[in-house]
């Protein structure tokens, strides 16, 4: 049985809930997992704890505003910024005593946050995994528009009509959204329990998601709508692994800048996945990620 421990990391007047699976003192490179959203919880990326079976500590946390961390429903949209969440991550690394040596995996929005973290070249970052993440939100929206055009005509019409009317909480709109999600977010239906827990938590408190993103994955009207990291990607100085699913809402076009502009980068596409290969092709995803992390721990090859 792999040991686990939970706790809270202070950040200003708030607290960040975290869980460590495995032993941070094992000597293996610890992995920190940043969940998506913005506004999700750790639950749907819980499967990455599988990587602790080989002695690697895996850190999950709920970003503030979500899950088991402090909720701030009263905050206005301008409170929720990239810099706020970067500061939270840095506080967690310091609290756990791993700021000097760690790898970071960010899924979806977590990968956007991971890229923002990496371009600042933190001294302790040893490797970055960007999973199912866009390099810019305009590219994300352009890709989503193409995917929407492939939906049945009546579904796309329902989406357009309610978005134009501002009635995105209408049951017909929600049902049409679910059709897109079943194709491009998670193709396992019904959702596995850990994925459903995240969606339930977001429905209970959508403060962060609505402020930064919008009502759903493809109608982006929040504060992140113009976000891009493309021009700063050459500043990432650590090895990177970029993952996506063949049916992903993170389309090839919105992921490509990572592959083109990070100096030391490799990519992998999961043929039978959409936005959650860690759920849809769990074992294969863990194999790919562990292979990358093990490579970071291997000593460099030397010539004769």
């Amino acid at each position: 049985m792999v040991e686990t421990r939970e706790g809270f990391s202070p950040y200003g007047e708030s607290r960040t809930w975290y869980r460590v699976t495995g032993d941070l003192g094992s000597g293996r490179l610890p992995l920190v997992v940043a969940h998506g959203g913005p506004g999700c919880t750790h639950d749907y990326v819980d499967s990455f704890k599988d990587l602790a079976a080989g002695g690697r500590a895996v850190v999950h946390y709920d970003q503030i505003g979500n899950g088991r961390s402090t909720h701030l429903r009263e905050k206005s949209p301008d409170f929720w910024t990239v810099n706020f969440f970067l500061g939270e991550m840095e506080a967690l690394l310091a609290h756990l005593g791993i700021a000097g040596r760690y790898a970071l995996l960010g899924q979806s929005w977590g990968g956007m946050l991971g890229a923002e973290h990496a371009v600042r070249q933190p001294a302790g970052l040893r490797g970055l995994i960007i999973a199912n993440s866009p390099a810019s939100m305009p590219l994300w929206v352009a890709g989503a528009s193409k995917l929407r055009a492939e939906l049945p005509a009546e579904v796309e019409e329902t989406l357009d009509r309610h978005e134009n009317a501002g009635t995105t909480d209408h049951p017909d709109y929600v049902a049409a959204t679910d059709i897109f999600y079943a194709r491009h977010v998670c193709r396992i239906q019904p959702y596995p329990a850990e994925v459903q827990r995240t969606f339930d938590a977001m429905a209970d408190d959508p403060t962060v998601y609505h402020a930064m993103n919008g009502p759903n994955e493809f109608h982006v009207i929040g504060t992140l709508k113009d976000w891009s990291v493309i021009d700063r990607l050459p500043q990432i100085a650590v090895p990177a692994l970029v993952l996506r699913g063949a049916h992903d809402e993170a389309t090839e076009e919105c992921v490509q800048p990572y592959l083109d502009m990070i100096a030391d980068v490799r990519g992998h596409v999961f043929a039978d996945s959409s936005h959650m290969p860690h759920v849809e092709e769990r074992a294969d995803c863990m194999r790919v990620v562990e292979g990358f992390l093990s490579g970071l721990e291997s000593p460099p090859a030397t010539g004769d």
Side-chain angles (χ1 to χ4, degrees), residues 82-296:
V82 170
N83 283 336
F84 175 82
F85 289 108
L86 286 174
E88 177 189 28
M89 183 189 296
E90 291 165 3
L92 175 64
L93 293 169
H95 179 80
L96 294 174
I98 60 173
R101 182 176 175 269
Y102 61 97
L104 175 63
L105 184 153
Q107 199 279 335
S108 197
W109 145 253
M112 298 158 61
L113 191 63
E116 288 276 8
H117 180 70
V119 300
R120 290 158 172 77
Q121 299 183 357
L125 182 63
R126 296 291 183 267
L128 175 67
I129 301 165
I130 298 171
N132 321 99
S133 307
S136 88
M137 288 307 284
L139 286 178
W140 170 277
V141 171
S145 296
K146 292 180 180 179
L147 295 176
R148 279 177 60 153
E150 298 171 1
L151 295 170
E154 64 274 16
V155 175
E156 188 177 16
E157 188 277 330
T158 298
L159 294 172
D160 290 340
R161 173 160 42 85
H162 285 288
E163 287 170 3
N164 291 334
T167 52
T168 54
D169 58 349
H170 192 281
D172 290 349
Y173 183 82
V174 174
T177 297
D178 288 342
I179 294 173
F180 180 95
Y181 280 28
R183 290 187 177 197
H184 302 299
V185 177
C186 182
R187 291 163 67 85
I188 299 177
Q189 299 289 318
Y191 293 139
E194 68 272 21
V195 176
Q196 190 61 54
R197 284 198 300 272
T198 285
F199 280 119
D200 290 345
M202 293 174 70
D204 179 68
D205 185 359
T207 303
V208 181
Y209 189 71
H210 285 177
M212 298 185 76
N213 189 82
N216 57 48
E217 294 291 275
F218 49 80
H219 188 43
V220 180
I221 56 176
T223 57
L224 281 178
K225 65 182 183 297
D226 298 319
W227 174 87
S228 176
V229 73
I230 292 174
D231 61 339
R232 292 171 287 145
L233 290 176
Q235 299 171 35
I236 295 180
V238 297
L241 172 65
V242 178
L243 308 175
R244 63 178 295 272
H247 309 281
D248 207 327
E249 60 178 340
T251 59
E252 182 179 359
E253 292 80 5
C254 76
V255 169
Q256 193 62 39
Y258 291 123
L259 299 170
D260 291 341
M261 301 183 71
I262 299 176
D264 185 355
V265 66
R266 65 226 65 183
H268 187 90
V269 178
F270 294 93
D272 295 321
S273 293
S274 57
H275 199 52
M276 300 186 186
H278 57 278
V279 173
E280 297 163 290
E281 296 180 72
R282 181 168 177 163
D284 195 35
C285 183
M286 298 307 135
R287 179 188 61 78
V288 171
V289 172
E290 178 55 38
F292 173 74
L293 294 172
S294 294
L296 298 178

